[in-house]
Amino acid sequence: MFTVFVFLAVRLLGVTSSTVPLNSDVYTDPRCQGNIKNLWLDIMVVVDKSQLMTNAQLWQVRNTISQVFGAVSTFGPTKYPADPRSTCVGLVTYDGNATVNAQYDTSKSFNDFYNVIQGSLVSVDSTNSSYLSRGTGTSLDPVPTANRLKNNGVIVITVACTSDKNAISKIQSLASPGYSFVDEMNTSQLVKQLTNALLSANCFCPQESVQYKDDYFNETSTKYGICVTGYTATGGSYGYPHAMEWCDYEIKNSYLVSEFSQNKHEFVKNYMLDKFKYMKPTAYYIGLHYVDNQWFNPNGYSNWAPGYPQSNSTGQVIASQAWTNGSLNYVWAPPQVFDFLLVCQVQSSSTEYYTTYSEQESPF
Ligand SMILES: *[C@@H]1O[C@H](CO)[C@@H](O)[C@H](O)[C@H]1NC(C)=O
Ligand SMILES: *[C@@H]1O[C@H](CO)[C@@H](O)[C@H](O)[C@H]1NC(C)=O
Ligand SMILES: *[C@@H]1O[C@H](CO)[C@@H](O)[C@H](O)[C@H]1NC(C)=O
Ligand SMILES: *[C@@H]1O[C@H](CO)[C@@H](O)[C@H](O)[C@H]1NC(C)=O
Ligand SMILES: *[C@@H]1O[C@H](CO)[C@@H](O)[C@H](O)[C@H]1NC(C)=O
Ligand SMILES: *[C@@H]1O[C@H](CO)[C@@H](O)[C@H](O)[C@H]1NC(C)=O
């Protein structure tokens, strides 16, 4: 097998301030987009060189990673504060023991990295046991290590070079959800899968946010380039103007969440009920507001409580637990007296949208 550890930037976001953007390309929630050319991640590639691999599989690994990283335009450490968007790649191989062939900053260019892999991934060695496969239940067990990395925001991508179902599911358990692959000895397919995985890893949110995806409860459902964060504003009845400022104060460029579809509404609801379950939320501010004598909902989606909007309810809106019946069905309504919860959104980082970056401490 081989594993790719992706270390993300510290999650801070940009500078200028705005409320609800009024240009049309923000009326939909964009998918995570990316271009491998502009990738900016720190990556550690970890490759099994024991006889659990064949030479052909090792060459496949070599070809695949040289194609994937050969497509990245800025490779190796760059001098801050020059454009810091670059990808650094290190290589570890293991058999009975692990060998660090190159640290992150060893390769100053793709050519350097290419030489590292040409020199390190030539043939499998004579060891027939592997560090990872020996580990289960011992201090070498890779599962806790992978969990620790994942809990620290590292994305673990695995590629199982085997058709053994048991081994595949063990290897899968090391990966971040949606980031495990099986090598079918088809280089172009694997290059595509890894490229997409890296682009997806580069599309991330500030640490305190969740990334909007098709289904809140499904880790592998389609991700969007939108980050959602719920807050409880304590200390007084602040109202809507304060809620708007609150978003931008917490995360620059963040604004009260847009609900332009039922799907987004459901996501926000499930997220808020989950995050604030200890306080059983009954309402939270969202971004719907009244401009130019009409409600601002360009996609025509609406979710008003029965009888709303009334001609006098021209202020801001909350999503409120329906009082018409006892079900947990949140509908739009004008704010009640005490509304402390609010939900903000901000654009995620991506290969095409750079936000403040500083390297995370390498655990190797
Ligand atoms: C790992 O390396 C240590 C020290 O070099 C050695 O004693 C040990 O036998 C090696 N283990 C395997 C499985 O190769
Ligand atoms: C691995 O190597 C050891 C010692 O060389 C040998 O006894 C064992 O049968 C080998 N196991 C496999 C699965 O090839
Ligand atoms: C390899 O995968 C690609 C899809 O990425 C597919 O079009 C092609 O037919 C596959 N080749 C083989 C030999 O299976
Ligand atoms: C989660 O989403 C993925 C991608 O849409 C889908 O393939 C998978 O079946 C979903 N899982 C569940 C449990 O719904
Ligand atoms: C808004 O109008 C409704 C009737 O249309 C009325 O019952 C309600 O009291 C009014 N609310 C305010 C804040 O004026
Ligand atoms: C509760 O009210 C909502 C909105 O009016 C409606 O969609 C839903 O079906 C109702 N649920 C029940 C159990 O009556």
Side-chain angles (χ1 to χ4, degrees), residues 95-97 127 129 134:
D95 42 38
N97 282 316
T127 319
S129 78
R134 282 191 307 149

Side-chain angles (χ1 to χ4, degrees), residues 31 211-218 220-224 263-264 266-267 270:
R31 291 271 201 102
Q211 190 151 12
Y212 172 43
K213 51 188 186 305
D214 268 340
D215 178 354
Y216 179 76
F217 300 105
N218 182 345
T220 61
S221 63
T222 303
K223 293 198 302 176
Y224 294 83
N263 206 59
K264 181 81 165 287
E266 292 297 323
F267 181 88
N270 289 325

Side-chain angles (χ1 to χ4, degrees), residues 19-36:
T19 54
V20 178
L22 293 175
N23 69 50
S24 63
D25 57 358
V26 297
Y27 300 157
T28 56
D29 295 309
R31 291 271 201 102
C32 278
Q33 281 179 341
N35 184 341
I36 190 71

Side-chain angles (χ1 to χ4, degrees), residues 192-206:
K192 204 181 289 170
Q193 287 170 324
L194 280 181
T195 299
N196 287 338
L198 290 170
L199 293 177
S200 169
N202 208 149
C203 181
F204 62 86
C205 286

Side-chain angles (χ1 to χ4, degrees), residues 189-258:
Q189 176 176 297
L190 194 53
V191 166
K192 204 181 289 170
Q193 287 170 324
L194 280 181
T195 299
N196 287 338
L198 290 170
L199 293 177
S200 169
N202 208 149
C203 181
F204 62 86
C205 286
Q207 212 128 36
E208 66 267 40
S209 304
V210 297
Q211 190 151 12
Y212 172 43
K213 51 188 186 305
D214 268 340
D215 178 354
Y216 179 76
F217 300 105
N218 182 345
E219 278 300 327
T220 61
S221 63
T222 303
K223 293 198 302 176
Y224 294 83
I226 297 286
C227 311
V228 173
T229 324
Y231 298 101
T232 158
T234 52
S237 182
Y238 286 119
Y240 182 69
H242 191 87
M244 290 197 335
E245 286 168 14
W246 190 285
C247 291
D248 187 62
Y249 169 76
E250 291 285 347
I251 300 174
K252 280 294 168 204
N253 295 335
S254 175
Y255 50 89
L256 283 170
V257 74
S258 304

